[in-house]
Amino acid sequence: SQQGEEDPQALSIQEGENATMNCSYKTSINNLQWYRQNSGRGLVHLILIRSNEREKHSGRLRVTLDTSKKSSSLLITASRAADTASYFCARRGGTSYGKLTFGQGTILTVHP
Amino acid sequence: DTEVTQTPKHLVMGMTNKKSLKCEQHMGHRAMYWYKQKAKKPPELMFVYSYEKLSINESVPSRFSPECPNSSLLNLHLHALQPEDSALYLCASRPTGGTGELFFGEGSRLTVL
């Protein structure tokens, strides 16, 4: 799939636990972004990592990028019930700079 | 104003109707996007406008017709749709010269009967 794969497809954890989601892609990238979507709503940008970066932090979010393995991971630490949502990675790259292609997504459920 | 506003939020139409979805942003972004999202699937790119010109068309059927009348407004005209076109249609904008982050609206949920 050109869209890339995310795993797990669904993740269920308790509040306070960490959540890790993985994203793989097949073609070269300029950057990789992570978005969050609450049920049936618009997407919200969370964090972006450039192709020459290996790790980035933003609050409780930590994203890593391994371009040799064409993979990225998003870690949410000390999760909260409000973190329940779908999380998508999105890659920007190739010859069409304007194009942002989303992965399949991970549905995260955080139980209080 | 950091919002992308989409109207209507919900739309039900028959296969012979003509309707339009509207998207508006006042952030000065010069790139605007239409995505289609089916339930439990990722958003799929349909169109990209850059400086009011169509720059990407992902081989979308002609029953979907985009229009960008000015830098703040993006329309998606719908005609002779099929039930399988029922989906959440998301509009997004992107500032030029930035890192490529998209700002999304809340979407228009379309049901085709």
Side-chain angles (χ1 to χ4, degrees):
Chain A
S1 164
Q2 287 295 318
Q3 293 175 318
E5 303 297 326
E6 286 185 61
D7 73 270
Q9 291 185 332
L11 181 59
S12 182
I13 60 175
Q14 297 294 128
E15 262 191 328
E17 295 180 339
N18 294 341
T20 299
M21 288 159 267
N22 303 298
C23 167
S24 64
Y25 56 92
K26 296 184 178 179
T27 59
S28 63
I29 61 169
N30 300 113
N31 64 55
L32 192 133
Q33 305 175 30
W34 286 88
Y35 288 79
R36 166 194 167 127
Q37 184 178 35
N38 285 30
S39 180
R41 306 287 296 277
L43 283 81
V44 176
H45 181 267
L46 295 176
I47 193 167
L48 177 151
I49 187 163
R50 293 184 174 84
S51 59
N52 61 353
E53 296 176 315
R54 292 297 168 258
E55 186 171 313
K56 206 161 180 184
H57 296 256
S58 177
R60 293 185 295 116
L61 303 180
R62 171 178 170 254
V63 65
T64 61
L65 179 65
D66 186 333
T67 52
S68 66
K69 294 181 180 178
K70 290 187 166 57
S71 68
S72 175
S73 68
L74 174 69
L75 169 67
I76 304 174
T77 60
S79 63
R80 307 165 181 167
D83 293 329
T84 295
S86 293
Y87 292 83
F88 295 94
C89 67
R91 64 175 181 82
R92 173 175 306 288
T95 57
S96 184
Y97 178 75
K99 188 171 178 176
L100 193 66
T101 304
F102 286 85
Q104 294 298 309
T106 295
I107 300 171
L108 173 65
T109 303
V110 182
H111 300 281
Chain B
D1 186 352
T2 57
E3 281 190 348
V4 176
T5 304
Q6 289 189 244
T7 54
K9 287 187 170 36
H10 300 274
L11 178 63
V12 179
M13 60 186 292
M15 290 190 284
T16 58
N17 291 157
K18 285 185 181 181
K19 298 285 185 183
S20 296
L21 305 180
K22 179 179 170 181
C23 174
E24 200 163 2
Q25 57 88 16
H26 297 285
M27 295 179 280
H29 296 174
R30 302 306 297 272
M32 295 185 76
Y33 296 67
W34 281 114
Y35 280 87
K36 172 183 177 180
Q37 187 180 27
K38 302 282 272 185
K40 299 189 186 304
K41 294 292 186 182
E44 292 183 359
L45 182 63
M46 299 176 74
F47 304 104
V48 181
Y49 273 83
S50 180
Y51 291 90
E52 295 90 70
K53 289 189 177 7
L54 184 65
S55 60
I56 297 176
N57 177 344
E58 290 287 274
S59 302
V60 178
S62 60
R63 58 185 184 269
F64 296 91
S65 175
E67 178 195 21
C68 189
N70 60 58
S71 59
S72 299
L73 190 57
L74 183 67
N75 297 319
L76 186 63
H77 302 298
L78 314 170
H79 175 53
L81 295 192
Q82 304 296 310
E84 57 265 30
D85 297 322
S86 298
L88 182 68
Y89 288 84
L90 293 160
C91 174
S93 67
R94 173 177 59 83
T96 51
T99 52
E101 169 189 352
L102 295 189
F103 293 73
F104 280 86
E106 290 294 324
S108 293
R109 185 161 298 282
L110 173 67
T111 303
V112 182
L113 300 177

